[in-house]
Amino acid sequence: MFLSIYYLTFILASVGMFVIWRFLYKKKNEIRFFKMLSLSLAGIFCLWYYSGSEQISQTVLFANSPLPNGFLTFISSFAIWFQFASVLLLIIYPYFKDNKTIVHFIKFFALPVSLLNLLTFVPQIWGIGGMGVTQHFDGRTLIYALMLGVCLMYSFMIFWQNGKFSATKQLWISYACLIVPMLFCTIPNYTFQLLFGYGNVTETVKKLSPYHRFVLYLSVVIPFVIYFLLRNKSKDFIKLCLVYIALGTMIIYTRSYTFETLLHPTAWPLHLCNTAMFLVPLCLIFKMDKLFYFTLFINVFGAFLAMIMPNYSDAYMLSSRIVNFWVNHYCAFFMPVLIVALGVYKRPKLKDFKNAMIGFLMYFLLVLIVNAWFSNYGEVDFFFINSDFIADKLGQWAKDLRDVILSFKIGNLTFTFYPLYQSLFFLVYCLMGLGVWFLFEQFFTIADNHYDMLQRHKKIKQDQLALMCQLNGRSEEEPMYEENVNKLVIKDLTKRYSSSDVYAVYKANLEVNGGEIFGFLGPNGAGKSTIIKSIVGIQPITSGEIDVCGYDAEKQPVMAKRQIGFVPDHYALYEKLTGREYINYIADLYDVSLEDRNERIKKYVDLFELNGAFDNQMKTYSHGMKQKITIIAALVHNPKVWILDEPLTGLDPTSIYQVKECMKQHAKEGNIVFFSSHIIDVVEKICDRITIIKKGQIRATAYVKDLEAKGIDLEEFYLDIINNEDNDAIVVKTGEKENALPKTQTNETK
């Protein structure tokens, strides 16, 4: 009779869900509808889960099962386990409904499991309520039947909404790989006890037995396996997996709790590792930064210590209590680290550690009070700050500190504290927490560097493949743009630093021909050095294109750099080398032949009158001499493009004249001289063409001869452009200014 009631409940729940779906479901309120169903299912699950325990959880071996035979015990335990896994999938579905993985798991796992419940219904209710549930009414079994009915129709709804059974071979392989770790996250802690039993095997866990070592090794292996499985997945998929693991392990941990247990204060989950079981899923679901970093810095360390020295001695390694212990501390140990490693939360900073310490202080004070208060109602020692457990590990001196007691009464309650021992406990934990932060910092630094290296190598390979395609079978050393083999071309060059909301350079366009001395003018901060550094490859550009004698500066960086000789505004030399050693070193980098380098070295050393000091260490050189060495280094490989950024600073008049003559001679040989300077008189005398830049924008380009022919003084022309306030810097924001500049300023004067 009672079996019929359970079946009827199962059927009515399924029919009721179908009616709700057909008459209340609206497409526009789809998410809200499924969230309401999930919350209802979660409520039913909690009501069943915490209202008691399964009969099979007390089973030692199949032979001792309350069920008729071992086969039914096996079937019922696995049916309950798989149902638990499918319930968890259904509960979190509305929050990841666009994720194909969870949809497929519900279609290919949750729905089949729900259908199999029809065939295994009797063994399941026997496993929950024992054989007597068919002879007398059992409320918990009735709730379970209700949950099965809801799950069946809920799974069918999701299947109907997302199409028929269709899956690729690759999907089936992925499904097969994921189903094992998914099920492992939800395995009831009595399962190992059920399958393998106790036997006569006991282990002294405190002595680091082989079994203890094995499970400790797993605490390192498991997070690495999870990390490598998830690292290349989408953020949504990673979060889905982590939420499933966190919720599954949290529910497993709470298996021993019932509503009656939670009402007793001594059973409250206030141990530090216990809190991690609840904080991790909360942080994943609700994005609670401060609580997460508290868990990362405090709980990870606490869980590690707990695994090293567990608070039990003679224990059965397969008992539900021990399995519960390892599940709890595994999750507290590696889940916060995985969450950061997989990018769900940002890498922790020192301020996060400080906030974690403040949180730990609040937790510690709370536990002190709770321990002193609840001790009046039974044995309680949250965080082990009152017992001998930790003191035994530290030695006699800790026991002596613990003998210092502060006790007082409030009414009928006695409050006992151990001021010296507890203060030292807190201090030591904070110091060890600081060490953990240092280890975290080193670990994440190494990981970041490794990731950056891998990304660089990946980009190099991608760029090389793209280059080969564009060259269409030609050698990598050949120019990509043959029409520009004697030109320096800049197209729409844009540069913005991440720390600024203003463009340093905005859509700059320049074309410099061979045989030209090109003057580059502009006030400080205008963008001259930014463009020059972009040309020579010192810094990346935000967008645009730079062609150096036909070589793309981004796709052919090495060949582009080989065409350039660069004189920076601030020299950077290996000052322990002699001038000769340094120039030879630069010549080696550019594969300059011995004959050519000797000829050029003699030429420029004689020109700049460095014969007497050329074989001395450069740290003995004056500023002007170091500048001369920089100029020689830029010319030793006879570059097609000679770029000078304020090269005349610190030079005497004779040397200035010699540099100007070198520039003229270099251009006369058909090469490009790109010259940046604040000295307008010098620019006017030696440059063929000039460009003026202001606030990151090219404002004017003109031939010097044309200005002279029109009677326009270059200095006046420059000041007129610079002092014009019509144009502002380009700011990065919605509706940013992209207007063309006035034609009188942008048109080249010819």
Side-chain angles (χ1 to χ4, degrees):
M1 174 182 177
F2 292 105
L3 182 60
S4 300
I5 294 174
Y6 301 140
Y7 265 116
L8 182 62
T9 304
F10 182 95
I11 295 168
L12 287 176
S14 301
V15 173
M17 287 287 291
F18 179 80
V19 172
I20 292 172
W21 177 40
R22 298 306 298 169
F23 293 99
L24 297 182
Y25 171 77
K26 303 292 182 183
K27 183 69 176 176
K28 62 179 181 179
N29 296 322
E30 183 180 38
I31 296 177
R32 185 183 300 175
F33 176 78
F34 281 112
K35 283 185 178 180
M36 290 296 295
L37 290 183
S38 290
L39 290 174
S40 301
L41 179 60
I44 297 170
F45 174 78
C46 290
L47 188 61
W48 163 72
Y49 196 80
Y50 297 112
S51 60
S53 60
E54 293 86 81
Q55 290 287 315
I56 58 172
S57 67
Q58 308 301 320
T59 301
V60 176
L61 293 171
F62 287 156
N64 301 328
S65 173
L67 277 68
N69 56 61
F71 177 74
L72 287 179
T73 304
F74 180 87
I75 291 295
S76 63
S77 62
F78 273 73
I80 295 169
W81 171 16
F82 285 9
Q83 185 59 40
F84 174 22
S86 62
V87 167
L88 188 55
L89 282 171
L90 293 169
I91 289 173
I92 66 176
Y93 166 74
Y95 305 94
F96 298 94
K97 65 181 301 291
D98 295 328
N99 190 292
K100 293 182 179 179
T101 303
I102 193 170
V103 173
H104 282 106
F105 264 94
I106 290 171
K107 288 168 64 177
F108 303 131
F109 176 79
L111 181 59
V113 166
S114 298
L115 292 172
L116 286 172
N117 287 329
L118 293 170
L119 301 175
T120 60
F121 185 71
V122 173
Q124 285 187 67
I125 64 173
W126 280 347
I128 292 172
M131 297 295 294
V133 297
T134 56
Q135 284 81 42
H136 61 84
F137 178 76
D138 185 86
R140 190 166 184 267
T141 305
L142 190 70
I143 296 171
Y144 189 73
L146 175 65
M147 184 177 71
L148 295 183
V150 172
C151 287
L152 174 63
M153 189 50 62
Y154 194 1
S155 304
F156 181 76
M157 288 182 199
I158 296 170
F159 166 73
W160 192 264
Q161 292 284 110
N162 293 276
K164 300 179 181 179
F165 285 95
S166 60
T168 62
K169 182 180 178 181
Q170 185 178 4
L171 180 64
W172 283 114
I173 294 172
S174 302
Y175 176 77
C177 294
L178 289 170
I179 192 69
V180 175
M182 188 200 82
L183 287 175
F184 192 79
C185 293
T186 56
I187 186 169
N189 50 23
Y190 58 75
T191 304
F192 295 103
Q193 175 183 327
L194 174 69
L195 294 176
F196 303 104
Y198 289 149
N200 296 316
V201 180
T202 61
E203 294 294 337
T204 307
V205 182
K206 286 183 176 180
K207 295 181 179 179
L208 286 176
S209 67
Y211 291 115
H212 186 195
R213 289 194 182 97
F214 175 73
V215 292
L216 283 176
Y217 299 152
L218 284 178
S219 68
V220 178
V221 173
I222 291 174
F224 271 102
V225 171
I226 297 174
Y227 173 77
F228 282 107
L229 286 174
L230 298 180
R231 61 176 180 163
N232 295 323
K233 305 296 183 181
S234 66
K235 287 188 177 181
D236 187 55
F237 180 80
I238 291 171
K239 190 174 180 181
L240 168 64
C241 293
L242 294 178
V243 167
Y244 191 88
I245 294 171
L247 287 175
T249 51
M250 182 191 75
I251 296 171
I252 292 172
Y253 164 70
T254 60
R255 191 107 185 140
S256 59
Y257 285 93
T258 63
F259 291 121
E260 292 79 9
T261 305
L262 291 171
L263 292 176
H264 199 283
T266 59
W268 288 359
L270 290 180
H271 282 288
L272 196 58
C273 297
N274 299 157
T275 63
M277 300 300 297
F278 299 94
L279 292 181
V280 168
L282 282 174
C283 294
L284 281 170
I285 297 169
F286 300 108
K287 197 67 178 174
M288 306 167 74
D289 290 33
K290 291 184 179 179
L291 279 179
F292 171 75
Y293 289 114
F294 168 82
T295 303
L296 179 68
F297 286 113
I298 304 301
N299 286 334
V300 170
F301 177 61
F304 176 75
L305 290 180
M307 290 190 295
I308 294 295
M309 45 182 189
N311 64 323
Y312 53 84
S313 54
D314 295 333
Y316 301 107
M317 294 299 293
L318 297 177
S319 71
S320 59
R321 176 174 177 264
I322 304 306
V323 173
N324 194 59
F325 174 87
W326 289 111
V327 168
N328 174 16
H329 291 86
Y330 267 23
C331 190
F333 175 62
F334 66 70
M335 278 296 290
V337 179
L338 271 178
I339 289 170
V340 174
L342 292 169
V344 179
Y345 273 86
K346 294 181 180 179
R347 171 179 164 179
K349 299 179 180 178
L350 185 59
K351 68 175 183 179
D352 298 316
F353 171 73
K354 294 177 181 176
N355 292 333
M357 287 296 105
I358 295 171
F360 178 61
L361 175 61
M362 295 169 63
Y363 166 81
F364 194 84
L365 294 175
L366 172 66
V367 169
L368 282 180
I369 297 169
V370 170
N371 279 348
W373 189 355
F374 288 1
S375 295
N376 293 279
Y377 304 101
E379 187 178 349
V380 62
D381 186 21
F382 296 120
F383 201 36
F384 305 106
I385 55 177
N386 288 358
S387 68
D388 293 328
F389 174 61
I390 302 295
D392 289 342
K393 305 292 183 183
L394 297 176
Q396 186 62 42
W397 63 272
K399 293 182 181 179
D400 293 339
L401 289 176
R402 199 174 166 277
D403 291 335
V404 181
I405 299 174
L406 177 63
S407 183
F408 58 90
K409 286 190 174 184
I410 300 178
N412 296 324
L413 302 178
T414 301
F415 292 82
T416 303
F417 299 93
Y418 308 87
L420 294 181
Y421 175 73
Q422 290 169 343
S423 299
L424 183 65
F425 193 101
F426 176 79
L427 180 62
V428 170
Y429 213 92
C430 288
L431 291 174
M432 295 175 82
L434 183 62
V436 171
W437 173 80
F438 177 77
L439 291 176
F440 277 152
E441 185 69 17
Q442 298 306 309
F443 171 79
F444 287 121
T445 300
I446 294 170
D448 288 346
N449 291 338
H450 180 67
Y451 178 78
D452 291 342
M453 184 181 67
L454 291 176
Q455 291 299 109
R456 285 198 298 270
H457 287 172
K458 184 179 179 180
K459 188 176 185 306
I460 289 171
K461 289 182 179 179
Q462 290 174 341
D463 290 346
Q464 195 168 15
L465 288 172
L467 177 62
M468 295 304 296
C469 291
Q470 289 183 293
L471 289 173
N472 196 22
R474 294 183 290 138
S475 170
E476 294 182 34
E477 296 184 357
E478 293 184 46
M480 185 178 296
Y481 309 106
E482 295 181 344
E483 66 276 14
N484 295 335
V485 290
N486 201 30
K487 294 180 180 179
L488 172 64
V489 181
I490 298 173
K491 298 178 182 177
D492 292 330
L493 191 154
T494 298
K495 173 65 181 178
R496 182 174 72 88
Y497 298 98
S498 57
S499 59
S500 175
D501 59 354
V502 178
Y503 286 104
V505 178
Y506 187 76
K507 293 187 178 181
N509 289 278
L510 287 174
E511 184 174 311
V512 187
N513 301 309
E516 272 191 316
I517 301 178
F518 190 86
F520 201 35
L521 300 175
N524 292 329
K528 299 192 306 299
S529 294
T530 298
I531 289 179
I532 289 173
K533 289 176 181 178
S534 300
I535 295 171
V536 301
I538 294 177
Q539 64 182 17
I541 63 177
T542 303
S543 64
E545 185 179 314
I546 300 173
D547 300 335
V548 183
C549 298
Y551 295 98
D552 190 300
E554 188 176 10
K555 298 175 182 176
Q556 299 174 287
V558 175
M559 292 306 301
K561 289 183 175 75
R562 293 183 75 89
Q563 315 305 312
I564 298 173
F566 179 43
V567 180
D569 55 347
H570 293 92
Y571 54 78
L573 305 171
Y574 300 114
E575 296 193 353
K576 289 187 177 180
L577 298 179
T578 66
R580 189 180 301 278
E581 289 171 340
Y582 179 72
I583 299 300
N584 276 305
Y585 166 70
I586 299 297
D588 288 338
L589 292 178
Y590 287 93
D591 297 323
V592 182
S593 67
L594 188 62
E595 182 181 352
D596 288 342
R597 79 173 66 179
N598 288 336
E599 180 184 342
R600 291 166 191 164
I601 287 174
K602 186 178 186 309
K603 171 184 174 182
Y604 293 119
V605 168
D606 291 341
L607 178 66
F608 292 117
E609 300 177 351
L610 290 173
N611 287 289
F614 197 53
D615 291 307
N616 298 335
Q617 286 186 327
M618 289 185 290
K619 65 181 181 181
T620 64
Y621 289 7
S622 66
H623 173 82
M625 294 169 69
K626 291 176 182 178
Q627 188 74 352
K628 293 175 183 179
I629 290 292
T630 304
I631 293 170
I632 297 173
L635 292 172
V636 70
H637 62 291
N638 193 29
K640 290 184 177 181
V641 181
W642 187 18
I643 298 177
L644 304 96
D645 191 5
E646 303 289 347
L648 306 180
T649 305
L651 297 180
D652 58 80
T654 302
S655 299
I656 291 174
Y657 173 78
Q658 293 163 344
V659 172
K660 291 191 292 184
E661 290 300 309
C662 285
M663 293 166 65
K664 292 177 182 179
Q665 182 60 35
H666 200 69
K668 190 176 180 181
E669 294 172 0
N671 300 308
I672 296 169
V673 178
F674 194 95
F675 177 44
S676 170
S677 178
H678 285 111
I679 308 174
I680 295 180
D681 290 342
V682 175
V683 172
E684 189 173 22
K685 289 178 181 178
I686 67 170
C687 290
D688 301 303
R689 193 157 54 107
I690 60 98
T691 278
I692 300 173
I693 185 172
K694 177 189 174 185
K695 294 183 179 180
Q697 298 173 275
I698 302 296
R699 300 300 174 94
T701 298
Y703 284 93
V704 175
K705 289 182 178 180
D706 289 347
L707 293 175
E708 291 176 352
K710 295 179 180 180
I712 301 174
D713 182 71
L714 178 57
E715 185 174 12
E716 292 179 1
F717 180 76
Y718 171 80
L719 293 175
D720 182 58
I721 299 296
I722 296 302
N723 293 330
N724 191 305
E725 301 295 336
D726 291 341
N727 300 297
D728 298 321
I730 302 295
V731 180
V732 185
K733 59 182 180 181
T734 305
E736 65 183 7
K737 179 180 173 184
E738 296 184 1
N739 301 6
L741 297 170
K743 292 182 179 181
T744 55
Q745 293 182 337
T746 57
N747 287 350
E748 186 173 298
T749 306
K750 297 184 179 180

